[in-house]
């Protein structure tokens, strides 16, 4: 590949294997296109990723960050699989402690793009200051993003706010086709627990909203074959789906 067209893309997932693995798969796809890829996580998590094929072995640079010791977090816990649910809040607090080390890496290498998860709400301003383009990678499928939608139902002339758990026990009005995808009350009540501040001092909802609002591009882990009708609701197909063959061209285009 022409060096002038080679991108340096960084991937920075949340410390859960339901996020680490999709980011890892995306890293491989980008590397196969001949681009420089840096995958950033903690050493224990990187060691637990599947092994790369010999062909890709030197195509991805794994960057180990040191998860700081954090009160309440069990020793050597570096992913959600290492802790019970009530300890995940301390993992988020430790994750926020990666900010300085990550910032130093970005300042030293200034990549073209950083693809990040919902957790680092503090990252977009840092990347913006350094002139790094930002992509938010939503590892959940498209229906979940559509279902939650905006806080205010803009399809309703009264602008009803969906802020109570009961509001999510039936389909929102902006879904134009029959759907039985709803939450049971006990399920959404558990989700609403993520709206509360935790040991990290930041709720999951605020993390997600701030991280999302700071991105240039929103990536969804989905495809037309599985979720065409849900993806269509996004309206802008450039944001709703990019096949990997087009994805790099899209990054180049957005980077100009």
């Amino acid at each position: 590949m022409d060096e002038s067209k080679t991108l340096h893309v960084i991937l920075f997932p949340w410390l859960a294997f339901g996020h680490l693995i999709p980011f890892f798969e995306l890293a491989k796809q980008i590397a196969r296109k001949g681009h420089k890829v840096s995958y950033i996580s903690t050493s224990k998590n990187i060691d637990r990723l599947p092994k790369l094929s010999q062909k890709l072995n030197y195509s991805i640079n794994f960057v180990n960050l040191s998860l700081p010791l954090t009160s309440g977090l069990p020793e050597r816990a570096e992913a959600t699989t290492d802790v019970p649910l009530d300890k995940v809040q301390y993992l988020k607090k430790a994750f926020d402690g990666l900010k300085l080390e990550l910032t130093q890496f970005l300042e030293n290498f200034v990549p073209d793009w950083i693809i990040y998860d919902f957790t680092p709400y503090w990252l977009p301003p840092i990347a913006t200051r350094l002139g790094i383009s930002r992509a938010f990678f939503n590892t959940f499928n498209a229906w979940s993003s559509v279902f939650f939608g905006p806080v205010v139902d803009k399809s309703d002339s009264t602008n009803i706010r969906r802020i109570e758990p009961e509001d999510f026990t039936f389909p929102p009005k902006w879904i134009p086709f029959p759907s039985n995808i709803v939450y049971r009350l006990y399920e959404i009540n558990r989700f609403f627990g993520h709206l509360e501040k935790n040991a990290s001092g930041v709720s999951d909802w605020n993390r997600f909203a701030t991280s999302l609002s700071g991105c240039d591009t929103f990536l969804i882990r989905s495809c037309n074959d599985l979720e065409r009708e849900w993806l269509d609701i996004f309206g802008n197909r450039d944001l709703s789906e990019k096949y990997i063959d087009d994805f790099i061209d899209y990054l180049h285009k957005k980077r100009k």
Side-chain angles (χ1 to χ4, degrees), residues 28 45 64 72 101 114 213:
K28 291 193 295 183
N45 288 329
N64 296 292
E101 198 174 356
I114 184 164
S213 65

Side-chain angles (χ1 to χ4, degrees), residues 11-14 18-23 26 114-120 134-149 183 191 204-205 207-209 211-212 215 217-223 227 230-231 234 239-242 247:
L11 293 100
F12 185 49
W14 162 232
H19 297 246
L20 290 158
I21 295 297
F23 271 75
L26 180 56
I114 184 164
I115 302 175
Y116 61 94
D117 216 322
F118 80 96
T119 342
R134 304 162 308 283
F136 181 104
F137 181 25
N138 181 17
T139 57
F140 299 102
N141 47 21
W143 76 259
S144 61
S145 297
V146 174
F147 180 85
F148 281 101
Y183 279 88
F191 173 83
D204 287 358
W205 186 257
R207 286 180 185 276
F208 187 96
S211 297
L212 179 58
C215 75
T217 300
F218 181 52
L219 309 177
I220 301 175
R221 186 187 177 202
S222 188
C223 67
E227 296 189 292
W230 294 97
L231 289 168
F234 280 95
L239 292 180
S240 64
E241 181 188 47
K242 297 303 297 179
F247 178 62

